[in-house]
Amino acid sequence: EAIAQGVPAERVLTLSSGASFTREEIQQMKALLTRHGWNHVLLVTSNYHARRVRIIARKVLGESGIAFRVVSAPDSEFPADGWWRTDTGQSCFWLETQKVVWTYLELALGKD
């Protein structure tokens, strides 16, 4: 999508790490950014997932001084203007809500 909007392909890095969890993926991304000496990153994720990405990135990247911005992209499975009208949209909402609560609990309990 970024390339289609005019961002040069060589400026777009898609992380395909095989990570199972968002936190794992952001930790791997932090290692990549550190290895390259990069200190700014734009995190593009699905619209329903952006809040949790921001929470986790604040913890993982914030401690290292890497500046980031989270941008939500439309997701065909989760139409922002009517997610409640479909079973898939409702499932995405409730699952992500549980994961956000769980993430806050992990942070409050000091789980890294």
Side-chain angles (χ1 to χ4, degrees):
E1 185 64 30
I3 294 167
Q5 295 297 320
V7 176
E10 65 273 5
R11 304 284 295 177
V12 175
L13 177 64
T14 301
L15 186 62
S16 180
S17 63
S20 301
F21 303 100
T22 302
R23 183 185 303 259
E24 219 177 83
E25 190 172 42
I26 293 175
Q27 288 167 334
Q28 291 176 7
M29 183 186 54
K30 176 185 169 186
L32 176 74
L33 294 167
T34 302
R35 198 167 44 249
H36 286 281
W38 299 334
N39 56 10
H40 292 82
V41 65
L42 181 65
L43 304 172
V44 180
T45 189
S46 55
N47 53 6
Y48 66 89
H49 188 47
R51 174 175 283 128
R52 190 158 52 98
V53 168
R54 187 174 295 109
I55 294 165
I56 295 169
R58 191 175 293 135
K59 173 69 176 165
V60 174
L61 299 178
E63 294 173 346
S64 65
I66 295 172
F68 68 92
R69 183 171 177 191
V70 177
V71 178
S72 65
D75 187 305
S76 61
E77 298 293 316
F78 190 83
D81 61 349
W83 59 264
W84 56 89
R85 293 184 185 116
T86 67
D87 289 341
T88 303
Q90 291 173 25
S91 293
C92 283
F93 173 81
W94 289 115
L95 182 59
E96 192 62 23
T97 298
Q98 292 170 10
K99 289 179 177 183
V100 166
V101 169
W102 185 253
T103 298
Y104 275 122
L105 287 173
E106 284 182 328
L107 292 175
L109 297 173
K111 304 271 184 180
D112 284 334

